[in-house]
Amino acid sequence: MYALDASVAVDDMDRRERATRLLNLSALLLERVEPKDGVVLLGPAHLLALLFEEVPIAVDEARALASHWRDLNIAEIRRLRIARNLATAAVLLSKALRDKSVDARLRKWEGILPLLP
């Protein structure tokens, strides 16, 4: 956590990149240890909330734009790519949790991942 926070503090990465890396790290850890509320890297509720705080676009808007993303300007393509990176990490996290009751909003993201740049 310290390294991620320090990288944001010195502008080596933005908060969304931090969130993506944190979600990926947590997914790897949760394949090996049990979830634990109150621990930043192991608390499922906190981690999924982080995704929905940082994702820069609503899933329905992303779905609408995904069908013609090659026609979009670079800023919109980047926004879709950031959303894909965050959602991909969160899907990995949900699989590591092996929890069938994971947020339905995440399932929507999982359904459109193949469509995003």
Side-chain angles (χ1 to χ4, degrees):
M1 290 290 302
Y2 173 78
L4 293 174
D5 292 340
S7 292
V8 171
V10 297
D11 291 328
D12 275 350
M13 74 173 71
D14 65 19
R15 70 180 203 280
R16 289 188 174 126
E17 177 64 21
R18 176 194 176 275
T20 301
R21 290 177 186 219
L22 182 68
L23 290 169
N24 279 313
L25 176 59
S26 294
L28 290 172
L29 287 171
L30 287 167
E31 288 177 355
R32 293 163 177 79
V33 299
E34 293 296 315
K36 186 169 183 173
D37 289 327
V39 177
V40 174
L41 290 172
L42 302 176
H46 164 75
L47 294 165
L48 291 175
L50 180 62
L51 163 71
F52 296 115
E53 288 171 17
E54 295 298 338
V55 73
I57 188 171
V59 68
D60 293 332
E61 183 182 358
R63 183 187 327 278
L65 293 174
S67 64
H68 63 283
W69 69 264
R70 287 178 178 84
D71 300 326
L72 300 173
N73 67 47
I74 193 69
E76 288 296 306
I77 294 170
R78 282 188 184 125
R79 193 164 68 126
L80 289 173
R81 187 66 185 171
I82 290 166
R84 180 190 174 110
N85 290 342
L86 281 163
T88 298
V91 168
L92 288 173
L93 175 67
S94 73
K95 289 179 181 176
L97 292 171
R98 297 172 208 83
D99 184 356
K100 303 303 178 205
S101 65
V102 170
D103 197 306
R105 296 176 297 170
L106 184 54
R107 296 289 170 237
K108 287 182 181 182
W109 277 107
E110 186 174 19
I112 69 164
L113 284 177
L115 307 174
L116 297 173

